[in-house]
Amino acid sequence: YDPKKVIRGYIHWYDEHGTIDIDLSCVLYRESLAQAGHISYTHLKNGYCCHSGDIRHRAGRNAEYIDLDIEKCKEHGVRYAIFHAFNFDGNPLDNVPECVFGIMHRDFPESSTIFRPDTIQDAVKVANKSTSAVICAFDLATNEMIWLDLESDRQVVESFVVDTVS
């Protein structure tokens, strides 16, 4: 991907009746695969990453996003960033209307501007038949991104990374 200063991973969906609660999170790892932290609705900021905040049961178009400051992440020893989506309502992600995960590349985080089409580099429909999926992984040192869309349980991200590399 074309590296900029900030990666914004986002999940977008349409909720006709205001009954859907999807959460986006990102787990950060060191080169050794030791966990360096996470960003989610339970931990919105850490000095080099920021979550947009939890969107719950709101009718219409919805999105959550996470900004990663690439250089600051690397300064704090972060090598890998793994994005994860979870549907708290228990319905498979592939049944959620307009459920798309995408990546925006920005020179600066802009909290008042959620979607700027010129910054979207990649976006895919979430096709996972589970309620929880590891969406993609970034290697911040090599600027490589891997689309995963792998079924997971809510606690699988850490063991997924260790098992995959072993």
Side-chain angles (χ1 to χ4, degrees):
Y1 67 95
D2 177 25
K4 298 283 187 184
K5 294 179 182 177
V6 175
I7 296 170
R8 175 171 285 179
Y10 67 87
I11 192 154
H12 173 276
W13 69 96
Y14 182 77
D15 187 346
E16 182 176 359
H17 304 289
T19 58
I20 300 172
D21 181 9
I22 296 178
D23 288 312
L24 181 64
S25 62
C26 183
V27 183
L28 308 168
Y29 294 93
R30 302 187 187 291
E31 187 164 355
S32 67
L33 300 180
Q35 187 171 331
H38 80 282
I39 300 296
S40 70
Y41 74 95
T42 64
H43 188 180
L44 297 175
K45 293 183 180 184
N46 67 4
Y48 46 96
C49 302
C50 180
H51 192 288
S52 62
D54 195 17
I55 302 295
R56 297 187 66 225
H57 302 115
R58 184 170 70 192
R61 288 188 165 77
N62 296 278
E64 289 189 11
Y65 64 86
I66 296 172
D67 285 346
L68 305 176
D69 183 314
I70 297 169
E71 287 307 312
K72 286 184 180 177
C73 282
K74 292 194 292 190
E75 288 170 10
H76 285 85
V78 175
R79 168 86 188 251
Y80 305 103
I82 312 274
F83 283 91
H84 178 263
F86 181 73
N87 187 351
F88 271 91
D89 298 319
N91 292 314
L93 289 163
D94 70 335
N95 287 342
V96 176
E98 298 180 28
C99 189
V100 174
F101 178 84
I103 299 297
M104 302 169 85
H105 299 277
R106 297 165 168 238
D107 287 318
F108 303 100
E110 300 172 65
S111 61
S112 62
T113 306
I114 295 175
F115 291 100
R116 284 189 36 215
D118 63 323
T119 66
I120 296 173
Q121 189 159 337
D122 296 295
V124 294
K125 172 141 179 52
V126 178
N128 204 287
K129 298 196 178 298
S130 73
T131 60
S132 181
V134 177
I135 302 293
C136 73
F138 282 95
D139 183 331
L140 300 176
T142 63
N143 294 324
E144 293 177 293
M145 179 180 66
I146 301 168
W147 288 111
L148 297 169
D149 198 15
L150 297 173
E151 182 175 337
S152 70
D153 65 35
R154 290 175 62 187
Q155 305 300 320
V156 80
V157 176
E158 185 170 346
S159 62
F160 164 78
V161 172
V162 173
D163 291 344
T164 302
V165 175
S166 301

